[in-house]
Structures are given as structure tokens and as C-alpha cells.
Amino acid sequence: QKEVEQNSGPLSVPEGAIASLNCTYSDRGSQSFFWYRQYSGKSPELIMFIYSNGDKEDGRFTAQLNKASQYVSLLIRDSQPSDSATYLCASLVYNTDKLIFGTGTRLQVFP
Amino acid sequence: EAGVTQSPTHLIKTRGQQATLRCSPISGHTSVYWYQQALGLGLQFLLWYDEGEERNRGNFPPRFSGRQFPNYSSELNVNALELEDSALYLCASSFRDRGLGNIQYFGAGTRLSVL
């Protein structure tokens, strides 16, 4: 079983809609979670991180963490074609400094 | 302020050769991480260096090695190259902070092609 799992997609949403990206993790030692966006051929760019149960909002982005269910999600409101990219979920096990990445979900926002 | 810089951008080698990839972290960052992103496999953790020492290693053979210099820059060496080593190699850096919000910032990567 992979430690961090994501649906590979593609997830297709119309412009202006809410995109919901999901991630599950298996290691209960995971304490921080990161969402990176990666455009094709480019390096990952941090969108948000979260380590407390509940929601964390930053502009159009909301990260949600449920440690009991070992579930992390990223909501993108008012999706734009420029949001089309692969979104990588990563977990950090405290005191290891090693990020464990999922394989990413490809998001397509169509006009 | 400059971000994480990696060189070269592209590297073409043949099987059995050695490859050396370089990384300069963001100023003030002491930790450097190396990841491999092979097609269809996602990012795989390779190595973590901090203060010149190797702190953690992923599930890669010993022919993947590296070092960190006193100025915190780092080299990744891959010996006896195999075709499956073809991938994007990403370097990231962070503060030496064991806190929950320790963020790793990535460079643009080196694309290694083994022929």
C-alpha cells in the first residue's frame, strides 16, 4: 500500500467551479501535509500546508485535514484555466524531514 | 532573493557513466533534499543533507550518493548509470527546523537522460 494516495485524474471542472482534490495517507506518524502544484515540465510549487485538524483557507484555496480518517483535501474555488496542473499531496513524518508524495492529481479547468 | 538553483538543466549520459548534479539552496537554508521524479512514479525521496551530514536516505542503491559543502550547496552523484535512472532530479531546501510547518522549496530540476 502506498503511503500517500491520490486519484491520478484527470479531474475536469468548468471555469468558475470548485475543484476538490483528495489525498489519503497511511502513516499515523504523519503530522504535516503539503499541497504542491506542478505545471508540466516545471518544479513543484507550494500552495498550502496544514497540520491541525479542520480547515485552513488562503485566498481561493482551502486545505482540510481529518487525522481520524487520515484524509487531506484541497478545495480550489472559482477555478481558472491557469489552475490546470498536477497537484501533489505530501506528508511529513515529524522528525524525519522526509516528504512522502502521492503521485498527483491532474486538474483540467476548461473555459 | 534567489531561489533554489540547480545545474545543469539537462544532462545526457550513456549507460555505465557517472552523473554529477549540483544544487544551491536558498540563502539561510541549511537543509538540502534530493528527489527523483521518474515518469509515472511521482517524487521519490533520495537523500537529505544538513550541516554537511547525510541525515536520511530513501530506498535507492548505494550508487546514488552525494555530499553537502560548507556553504550548504550540494552534489548528487549517480554512478554506473542505468537506463531507469532517466528522470527529473529535484533539489529542495529548507531551514533546519523540525517544526510542523517546515517547508521545502524546490529548484527547477535537472533532467537526466541515460542512453
Side-chain angles (χ1 to χ4, degrees):
Chain A
Q1 181 190 7
K2 285 191 175 180
E3 295 180 50
V4 176
E5 295 208 46
Q6 297 180 257
N7 188 318
S8 61
L11 173 66
S12 293
V13 300
E15 184 174 356
I18 295 175
S20 178
L21 303 159
N22 305 312
C23 170
T24 59
Y25 62 95
S26 60
D27 189 342
R28 288 198 175 270
S30 301
Q31 294 194 291
S32 302
F33 303 88
F34 301 79
W35 283 100
Y36 285 85
R37 177 176 62 197
Q38 187 174 28
Y39 293 110
S40 183
K42 302 294 185 182
S43 62
E45 170 195 11
L46 182 71
I47 299 294
M48 291 190 70
F49 70 93
I50 187 168
Y51 50 79
S52 299
N53 267 331
D55 295 0
K56 179 181 178 182
E57 187 174 317
D58 184 2
R60 296 187 297 115
F61 300 95
T62 298
Q64 299 174 317
L65 173 60
N66 183 325
K67 290 187 178 180
S69 301
Q70 296 178 247
Y71 178 89
V72 192
S73 66
L74 179 71
L75 301 178
I76 306 174
R77 288 181 298 280
D78 188 25
S79 295
Q80 302 296 310
S82 58
D83 294 327
S84 299
T86 296
Y87 289 78
L88 303 169
C89 172
S91 71
L92 183 72
V93 176
Y94 190 59
N95 238 22
T96 68
D97 273 36
K98 179 171 68 172
L99 282 176
I100 306 298
F101 283 88
T103 52
T105 298
R106 188 158 62 96
L107 173 66
Q108 294 177 336
V109 182
F110 55 91
Chain B
E1 180 182 307
V4 178
T5 58
Q6 291 188 245
S7 64
T9 305
H10 293 93
L11 191 57
I12 299 175
K13 294 285 185 179
T14 56
R15 282 176 56 189
Q17 285 189 313
Q18 179 198 38
T20 298
L21 290 64
R22 296 179 176 84
C23 172
S24 291
I26 292 171
S27 178
H29 286 188
T30 62
S31 282
V32 170
Y33 311 82
W34 288 96
Y35 293 85
Q36 182 196 65
Q37 188 173 33
L39 201 61
L41 290 180
L43 277 87
Q44 304 290 319
F45 169 77
L46 260 167
L47 290 158
W48 167 33
Y49 291 96
D50 184 76
E51 298 288 354
E53 300 285 332
E54 182 181 301
R55 302 293 182 181
N56 203 346
R57 183 181 183 85
N59 293 327
F60 282 85
R63 57 191 186 83
F64 287 84
S65 65
R67 54 179 172 167
Q68 187 179 33
F69 299 100
N71 66 353
Y72 303 114
S73 67
S74 176
E75 266 182 10
L76 174 68
N77 295 296
V78 188
N79 294 320
L81 284 165
E82 300 179 2
L83 296 178
E84 53 264 33
D85 296 333
S86 295
L88 180 66
Y89 289 83
L90 290 161
C91 172
S93 75
S94 76
F95 291 107
R96 181 70 163 99
D97 173 13
R98 290 293 186 78
L100 297 175
N102 188 17
I103 298 170
Q104 296 182 18
Y105 297 90
F106 285 83
T110 293
R111 185 161 297 281
L112 173 63
S113 298
V114 183
L115 307 178

